[in-house]
Amino acid sequence: MPERKRLETARALATQPKILLLDEVMAGLRPVEIDRMVQVFAALCRDTGMTILLTEHVMRAVMVLSHHIVVLHHGQKICEGTPETVARDPAVLESYLGAGEAAS
């Protein structure tokens, strides 16, 4: 699976895009594979200045790669901002961790 995801990413990069759109590219990967993909995407942004628009549920990757996050819940935007802002937002905590967790 990680080889296929890297190949799909390489195919997209071969077109020399200004913006790279990635949809759940880390889904199903093991933690070590996720870490490697994060390194590749971070280097790509750093070295080329390319923008990456990432739809992802692997939060450790999102928090490392993102400068700006938009959080959707049931199709509605509930929060927008830096990773630090989003990680502390009560609506995000309630929606994704449950009301009991958000209160603690």
Side-chain angles (χ1 to χ4, degrees):
M1 167 116 51
E3 295 82 16
R4 192 180 105 229
K5 291 190 182 242
R6 282 195 298 269
L7 177 61
E8 290 170 358
T9 302
R11 286 178 47 200
L13 290 171
T15 66
Q16 299 180 330
K18 292 183 173 137
I19 299 175
L20 182 61
L21 306 176
L22 299 173
D23 184 21
E24 297 289 346
V25 72
M26 294 179 226
L29 297 180
R30 294 186 308 250
V32 70
E33 296 163 343
I34 291 169
D35 292 344
R36 179 66 186 129
M37 293 292 275
V38 167
Q39 290 173 352
V40 168
F41 294 135
L44 186 63
C45 289
R46 181 186 63 246
D47 298 344
T48 70
M50 180 183 298
T51 297
I52 296 178
L53 178 61
L54 178 69
T55 300
E56 187 59 67
H57 287 92
V58 177
M59 295 315 308
R60 60 193 265 197
V62 171
M63 298 307 274
V64 170
L65 290 172
S66 300
H67 299 283
H68 189 85
I69 298 173
V70 176
V71 180
L72 302 177
H73 183 64
H74 297 295
Q76 300 295 314
K77 182 171 75 170
I78 61 169
C79 184
E80 181 174 355
T82 65
E84 296 79 18
T85 299
V86 169
R88 292 189 313 263
D89 186 271
V92 173
L93 295 173
E94 183 174 340
S95 295
Y96 288 92
L97 296 178
E101 292 293 324
S104 55

